[in-house]
Amino acid sequence: MDHFSYKNGEMYAEDVPLSRIAREVGTPVYVYSTATLQRHFRVFSSAFEGLNALVCFAVKANSNQAVLATLAAEGAGADVVSIGELERALKAGIPPQRIVFSGVGKKPSEMRRALEVGIKQFNVESEPELEALNHVAGEMGQIAPVSMRVNPDVDAKTHHKIATGKSENKFGISWAKAPEVYREINNLPNVRATGVDVHIGSQLTDLDPFKLAFEKVVSLVKDLRSEGHAIEHIDLGGGLGIPYDPDAETPPSPVDYGSMIKQVLGDLPCSIILEPGRLIAGNAGILLSELLYVKQGEDRLFYIVDAAMNDLLRPAMYDAFHNILPVAEPGDNARNASVQADFVGPVCETGDTFAKARKTVPMNPGDLVAFKSAGAYGAVMASTYNTRELVPEVLVNGSEYAVVRARPTLDDMIGMDTVPNWLTR
Ligand code: LLP
C-alpha cells in the first residue's frame, strides 16, 4: 500500500497534488511519501515481533538524508556499503550501534572510520578482507565484531544482475569453507566472530530460496556454536520483493516472510538482523515527469518524456517494469480509447526506453506522468549523463512538502571540472 492516489481528478502524494510539485519544482523529480516510508517500516518490523530483531535499512536503496532521518525516527538501523553511506547514516541520526557494514571491497580507511565510530558489525566477505580488518583493528587497539557472509549456493530466481547467492557470484565465502574460516577468526587477535551473514539477492518474489538459504545458515550456526563460537546473531540480509506490476507479481507479504523466519529459527538463541531496502523505500517514491512529445513512428507510438535513463536506470539496466500512470485521472472516455506506446527519454541511446508497447491512455504534450515504485534504486543510481541536471528529490509529509535534494544548476555541474593551466596559458 502506498500514499499516491487519485483525488479530485488528479494524483496526489499524500495531500499534495503532484501537479503542484511539478509546477513549483519542475520535472523530472522524485517524490517520496513520509507516510508510506513509515508504514512500510512499521509493517516490516512488526512481522518480527517476538524475535530480538534489528531492522537495518539498506542505505543503497535510498540514501537521501531526509529519508534516512524519517527512518531513524522510526528506530531503523542501517546497512551500509561504503564510507559515504556510513557518514550519511550517522549524519541522519542512525546510532552506530545499529549500523552494519557490508560489501566485498572495504578499504582499510573505511574500516578505520567504522571502528572509530563503533559500528555493530562488519559483514566480511573474504579471508583477505578478514586479515585486513584484523590488521586495522590491531593498529587501533580494538577488536572488530565480525559476521562472515556465507554464500549458500542457492538460486534466488531473480534477475541475474541482482542474484548474489550462487557460488559463481563474487559475494561471501564458500559454504563448505565457513567452519574453517571461523576457526581462523579464533586465531586472529583483533577480530571476534559475533554472527553469520547471508544475502542471496534482491527483488525475490518467492519464499523458497530464502528458506533454503536460511535453513543452511541455521544449521551452520548450530555447528559453529557447538564448536564453541559465540554466535549471537544472524544477519539474514534483504531482498524481499515488491509488486512493481500488480497484475504480474505477488511477492510474499512481510508477515509470511517473518513467519517463515520464525519457523526456520525455531528456538535458536540468536538475535536477527534484517537489511530490507526496496521493501521500505520502493513503493514510497515515484518519478514525476512531463510528456514532451507524442511521436508517431512507422509502426509505433512514442511518448517522449523529460525523464531519462540517467534519472531512472532500472528499465535500461534490468529490463525492469515500472507502472507509468497519468497524473490527471483518466475518465471513462480516455480509458476506453486506450493506446499502446513506447515511453522513451531524451538520452541518445536506444536503451533509454522505459516501456515498450505499454497499454496506456491517450496523452498530450504537457501531461504529467508518474513512474511508480521508484523510491528504491532510483535517485541513488541517477547520473548526469548527457549533462542532464542531477534529478532532484522531494519529500511529502501530509499537506506539506520539501525539496530534499535540489536540482543543481548547470554552472554547479560544469564548475566541478577544471581546465588545466597548460590549456589556458
Ligand atoms: N543487503 C545487502 C548485502 C545487499 O547487497 C542488498 C542489495 C540489500 C541488503 C538490500 O536488498 P533489497 O531489500 O533492497 O532487495 N539496483 C538493483 C538492486 C541492487 C541490490 C543490491 N543489493 C535494482 O534496482 O533492482
Side-chain angles (χ1 to χ4, degrees), residues 58 60-61 79 81 102-103 125 149 162 164 171 199 201-203 237-240 244 275-279 314 318 376-377 381:
K60 62 172 81 67
D79 164 45
V81 292
S102 304
E125 303 224 11
R149 175 167 176 180
I162 50 175
T164 55
F171 300 96
H199 170 80
S202 196
Q203 185 54 16
L240 188 57
Y244 281 96
E275 302 172 353
R278 194 188 310 267
L279 189 106
R314 303 193 67 259
Y318 316 108
Y377 307 110
M381 292 177 78

Side-chain angles (χ1 to χ4, degrees), residues 56 78-80 98-102 120-121 123 235 273 275:
C56 292
D79 164 45
V80 302
R98 290 175 185 241
I99 298 180
V100 298
F101 196 165
S102 304
K120 183 174 176 70
Q121 78 175 18
N123 290 338
D235 184 334
I273 297 171
E275 302 172 353

Side-chain angles (χ1 to χ4, degrees), residues 219-386:
S219 87
L220 172 67
V221 169
K222 286 180 178 158
D223 290 351
L224 293 174
R225 287 173 71 100
S226 69
E227 276 194 39
H229 299 282
I231 304 299
E232 297 150 20
H233 41 251
I234 310 183
D235 184 334
L236 297 170
L240 188 57
I242 61 169
Y244 281 96
D245 181 355
D247 297 332
E249 280 156 333
T250 45
S253 69
V255 171
D256 292 344
Y257 176 72
S259 314
M260 178 273 288
I261 288 175
K262 286 179 188 165
Q263 189 224 319
V264 172
L265 289 175
D267 54 7
L268 193 67
C270 276
S271 62
I272 57 165
I273 297 171
L274 299 141
E275 302 172 353
R278 194 188 310 267
L279 189 106
I280 307 293
N283 283 325
I286 58 124
L287 174 62
L288 181 60
S289 178
E290 183 182 316
L291 182 60
L292 295 175
Y293 301 108
V294 175
K295 171 170 161 176
Q296 183 59 63
E298 205 129 290
D299 63 347
R300 65 191 64 214
L301 189 63
F302 293 103
Y303 279 176
I304 303 172
V305 295
D306 69 353
M309 63 189 285
N310 70 299
D311 305 308
L312 176 63
L313 188 57
R314 303 193 67 259
M317 184 130 168
Y318 316 108
D319 296 315
F321 178 97
H322 285 266
N323 211 354
I324 308 172
L325 297 178
V327 167
E329 186 173 14
D332 288 342
N333 286 350
R335 261 194 292 267
N336 292 337
S338 101
V339 294
Q340 277 196 359
D342 286 15
F343 284 84
V344 298
V347 160
C348 305
E349 294 210 27
T350 305
D352 186 20
T353 297
F354 291 116
K356 282 193 174 145
R358 182 68 61 84
K359 206 169 158 226
T360 182
V361 294
M363 283 187 251
N364 296 305
D367 286 357
L368 296 169
V369 293
F371 289 80
K372 297 286 304 282
S373 317
Y377 307 110
V380 283
M381 292 177 78
S383 76
T384 58
Y385 186 38
N386 279 206

